[in-house]
Amino acid sequence: MIFTRNEKFVIVYSFIPIRSSTVQLFLIILKKLSPPIGTQTSKYHHENLRDHVALVAANLVDAGLSSTLAVQLAVLHDVGKKYTAATNKVGDICYYNHEAVSALIAKYWLRGTASKSTIKQIVAVIYAHLLPLTTWNRTVHWKTGLPCNFRQDFEHELESFYDGNQVDVKRTMELIDTLTKCDEGILEMTPEYAQKIARGRELIHEFRHGA
């Protein structure tokens, strides 16, 4: 399981421990939250989160994903930004660990809406969607100073996660790379972006209403 329990902690993969009591409180709060759409402000995104979600959905469909999977990944991949937004010491808005929070939300929000294997894959992809831009670019371990292949290490994590199923590992790695490429930010609105956003909104509307 992506979330493994002991007496005190719930582990999101092997990287981020969250206290079980915190998770229980978080789940209570989730029941009272608004839908997974909000606002975002950062140097990477001048569009609001609603438009960003629509843009990513359109991009994912253009990349060959089914409209259902595209919408699920798009809507949920950044939902954690609503609950992790903070100002860093230089005054920039940041969303540290929003991908882990998004994965946690996705795991519970998708229950009963898709198969366990699909949910498992979506959670893994959301959790890792920033890694191609961050950790996987490092070639030296920050603690030991020794050479390290973080992408390969993550694949080993997935092998355990999927009980050695190499097909699932390969597909998940492909989806991570695809989501990362499609997860673009808008610095200046153009007619092309506006058209993509409108198309993405239609995809989300069709998904919600079963069209």
Side-chain angles (χ1 to χ4, degrees):
M1 293 291 289
I2 196 167
F3 300 97
T4 58
R5 294 178 180 273
N6 59 26
E7 291 184 358
K8 295 184 179 179
F9 295 102
V10 172
I11 308 299
V12 185
Y13 287 111
S14 62
F15 306 119
I16 301 177
I18 304 175
R19 288 191 176 275
S20 297
S21 58
T22 302
V23 172
Q24 295 305 316
L25 177 60
F26 192 69
L27 294 178
I28 292 172
I29 295 172
L30 279 181
K31 295 179 181 179
K32 301 180 180 180
L33 294 177
S34 59
I37 300 294
T39 59
Q40 65 178 353
T41 303
S42 77
K43 60 183 178 181
Y44 303 110
H45 298 280
H46 290 186
E47 77 279 18
N48 62 42
L49 190 53
R50 185 182 296 273
D51 286 347
H52 176 66
V53 163
L55 175 64
V56 173
N59 284 343
L60 288 171
V61 168
D62 289 345
L65 270 63
S66 69
S67 59
T68 295
L69 182 57
V71 169
Q72 288 170 327
L73 287 173
V75 169
L76 290 168
H77 81 287
D78 275 350
V79 65
K81 284 184 174 180
K82 293 179 67 175
Y83 318 112
T84 57
T87 304
N88 64 20
K89 60 184 178 182
V90 296
D92 293 331
I93 301 296
C94 56
Y95 307 92
Y96 295 132
N97 290 330
H98 78 269
E99 64 278 12
V101 175
S102 297
L104 179 63
I105 294 172
K107 180 179 186 290
Y108 287 96
W109 254 334
L110 289 172
R111 284 189 302 183
T113 67
S115 68
K116 289 182 178 180
S117 60
T118 296
I119 294 173
K120 199 172 183 179
Q121 188 172 71
I122 290 172
V123 169
V125 172
I126 289 174
Y127 176 83
H129 79 272
L130 290 184
L131 293 181
L133 302 175
T134 55
T135 304
W136 290 354
N137 288 325
R138 296 172 179 152
T139 57
V140 176
H141 198 285
W142 55 82
K143 289 184 178 179
T144 65
L146 297 175
C148 188
N149 187 328
F150 286 101
R151 184 183 179 96
Q152 189 176 72
D153 290 346
F154 188 81
E155 286 192 53
H156 292 325
E157 292 276 345
L158 285 181
E159 287 175 8
S160 176
F161 181 52
Y162 287 120
D163 298 322
N165 188 320
Q166 292 298 318
V167 174
D168 286 342
V169 172
K170 181 179 179 181
R171 178 56 176 160
T172 298
M173 294 298 289
E174 290 172 350
L175 284 173
I176 291 168
D177 288 332
T178 299
L179 178 55
T180 300
K181 291 175 182 177
C182 293
D183 187 20
E184 63 176 323
I186 298 176
L187 299 182
E188 180 179 356
M189 184 62 70
T190 65
E192 291 75 18
Y193 277 133
Q195 290 174 2
K196 275 194 175 184
I197 289 170
R199 185 155 52 88
R201 287 176 178 169
E202 289 181 9
L203 290 167
I204 294 169
H205 177 81
E206 291 171 0
F207 176 81
R208 290 181 62 192
H209 297 281

